[in-house]
Amino acid sequence: MTSPTLAEIQTWFQHINTRLPDRSGQREFSGWEIDDILDDSGPLNAQHGTAIYGNGYMARLLGCLAAEFPTLRQAFSTEWFDHVAQQYLSRYPPTEPSLTTLGSRFPAFLQEELSATSLTADDTAGQFIVDLARLERAISETSRGQGTENIDYLAFAHWGSIIPSSVYLAPNLRLLKLRSNIVPFLHAMSNRQNPSFPESCEKYVVVCRRNFQVCLDPVEWWQYELLQHLKQSPTVQPWPDTLASSEIAARIPVWLLLSTERGYILDRPLRALQQSNH
Amino acid sequence: MRHTTPKVGQHKPLPDLGLGVGLRPQHFNHVLAEQPAVDWFEVITENFMEDYGWSRHVLHNVSERYPVVFHGVSLSIGSSDPLNRSYLDGVKKLANEVSPRWVSDHLCWTGTLGRNSHDLLPLPFTEECLDHVAARVCQVQDHLERPLVLENPSSYVQFKSKDMTEWEFLTALTERTECLLLLDVNNVYVSARNHGFDPTDFIDGVPSDRIVQVHVAGHTDNGAHCIDTHDSAVCDDVWQLYAYLCRSTGPVSTLLEWDANIPAFSDLLAEVNKASLAIENFCEPLTWPTTMEGRPGEFVDIRNDSLSTPLEFLMTSRR
Ligand SMILES: [Fe+2]
């Protein structure tokens, strides 16, 4: 056998340790056996040494997903979580240098999996699982994202009662429309209580960060719609049609001011504010 | 904390920072509030690069009070994939922001074909691999505009393709690239136990004047082999090996790694402070309570193996 190249060795080693099919069009791994490539003369035999890498690969990544979705894992069985997380990692093996993106597709993956297996459209348990995963992922993104902590809030003093024509969402703000009252459930689980699963009802939550602490603020439907509108476009007016009723339109200016205090919105993009603060 | 003066006439490419520990999220509040008496901190680069929240805030705060060193786990210097330029840009940006005393990573690869296993995978010590790694070290040093410090990882397999030992590989790499070394004596010990070589051959084989930092850590001893678990105190064998190394390096920046079952900060300090005692009490010849040949024949169920290179601590970033 001719000496394998570095690329061939790595392709083979990765294949046997991750048990993943190689992407089509990529380098083919040869059908080598462990004894063909690895030196078996040391105290730790090659088979066992390989298993340490192989077992460690999945165990390490499962541990990271478990740390990002602790309530989901705790609320259902750890066996169920590990099983579904393993399927997820097989479909979406990590590619980035950072672990922050590892769980980014997990809620969507759960949605796909549950849609494929659910018998009825009204699958409340499935919706709860997906929403809980969305909430935990949002918490993780908000905790790491660009926040407004170091912004000089005096920048807003000139607002007075006049709303600027454009306002911007804090980059780490996440908006969620949930199909059950999950937030109290999550808090109870975090406090090691044993809450019952929440009943179905529509809830709107802003996930934001104040003083480096993630906050889960309940909001009303029109406040959620308004923030969604601002997420698409920083232009305050015209309001979306859903907010056009005179009663709601009258409440918007006051609530936008409150939103600046809560760290949801800024009067210019965060980058511009950071520069003007220096 | 250690107060030592370098040996007369010894020129170190980077300063001796004393005795340090890894800055871990579990200790953020304690470090900010108490400003404990530790000489320096090492931080996992990737833990801060994409974090603009509490972790980043703490890093800025700590770097104003203590010397900080970056330690990366995703450079993948030995991968056959192209270098990840955006990753290097991220390291450089953070380094410009925080001014670490130096930037280190591992002599390993983490994945190929666009994947990242988040493990420190072993390289074949061949001439081909040396050419490949040396060229990439030069590219990285040019990109970062600073020397790269490379650490020997612990390993559980060796490749049949082999033109030299790991220490010969590291030596050749320093000669070709002027990179510096982070010598992890626990990794030397773990690899020596797993592959059956004398750890002092490794220590004697690397150029001591290129070693700018040392790691010590705890491992799990399964009798027939060892796993680099970073979850316990440093064993006597590793402290002995550390003291043996320090005879040739002189005082050198020393860091305790503890990444799983992380104890109270005071326990970390007590552990790293044993370094001075290990040097004082050192006497030859070295004796190994467990033979380097391991104990073949002893049955170990691999499903019960502990996890090497723990990562979970990286996921804790909330205040
Ligand atoms: Fe290390």
Side-chain angles (χ1 to χ4, degrees), chain A residues 3-14 17-18 20-23 26-27 34-53 55-57 59-68 70 93-102 136 139-140 143-147 149-150 209-214, chain B residues 46 50-55 57 73-74 78-81 84 87 109-124 126 128-129 132-133 154-162 192-197 222 224-227 292-296 300-303 305-312 314-319:
Chain A
S3 282
T5 64
L6 179 66
E8 287 168 339
I9 286 176
Q10 292 184 342
T11 305
W12 172 81
F13 197 69
Q14 177 164 283
N17 286 319
T18 58
L20 294 169
D22 287 285
R23 290 177 190 169
Q26 300 273 23
R27 287 192 297 263
I34 283 177
D35 291 353
D36 296 329
I37 303 297
L38 299 177
D39 176 357
D40 204 22
S41 63
L44 175 58
N45 73 56
Q47 199 86 35
H48 188 166
T50 308
I52 291 173
Y53 287 106
N55 296 342
Y57 169 75
R60 207 175 286 114
L61 297 175
L62 280 179
C64 291
L65 278 183
E68 185 159 13
T95 57
E96 301 290 322
S98 161
L99 284 161
T100 56
T101 53
L102 188 70
E136 294 207 285
I139 291 170
S140 153
S143 73
R144 292 197 187 94
Q146 291 263 11
E149 282 90 354
N150 297 319
R209 204 176 67 210
R210 287 189 284 273
N211 194 22
F212 298 108
Q213 268 174 333
V214 174
Chain B
E46 292 79 1
E50 302 204 359
D51 192 310
Y52 301 92
W54 179 233
S55 298
H57 175 77
V73 290
S74 281
S79 173
S80 42
D81 277 6
N84 185 336
Y87 168 78
W109 59 292
T110 61
T112 186
L113 306 177
R115 301 238 169 95
N116 189 335
S117 70
H118 293 280
D119 198 356
L120 309 172
L121 303 171
L123 287 167
T126 60
E128 179 212 7
C129 184
H132 178 70
V133 174
S154 49
S155 66
Y156 308 99
V157 297
Q158 294 196 102
F159 295 96
K160 277 187 167 168
S161 304
K162 181 177 179 178
R193 285 281 302 277
N194 292 342
H195 306 315
F197 62 81
N222 286 345
H225 66 282
C226 292
I227 308 231
M292 281 301 147
E293 282 76 46
R295 286 177 246 146
V300 179
D301 187 342
I302 57 172
R303 289 167 303 180
D305 261 345
S306 335
L307 195 59
S308 78
T309 325
L311 282 181
E312 241 176 273
L314 293 175
M315 302 303 286
T316 318
S317 63
R318 287 175 228 164
R319 186 171 189 177

Side-chain angles (χ1 to χ4, degrees), chain A residues 72-90:
Chain A
L72 185 64
R73 187 167 189 266
Q74 211 187 325
F76 297 88
S77 72
T78 53
E79 289 79 12
W80 168 81
F81 181 89
D82 289 353
H83 172 72
V84 74
Q86 207 155 337
Q87 287 180 319
Y88 168 72
L89 291 166
S90 299

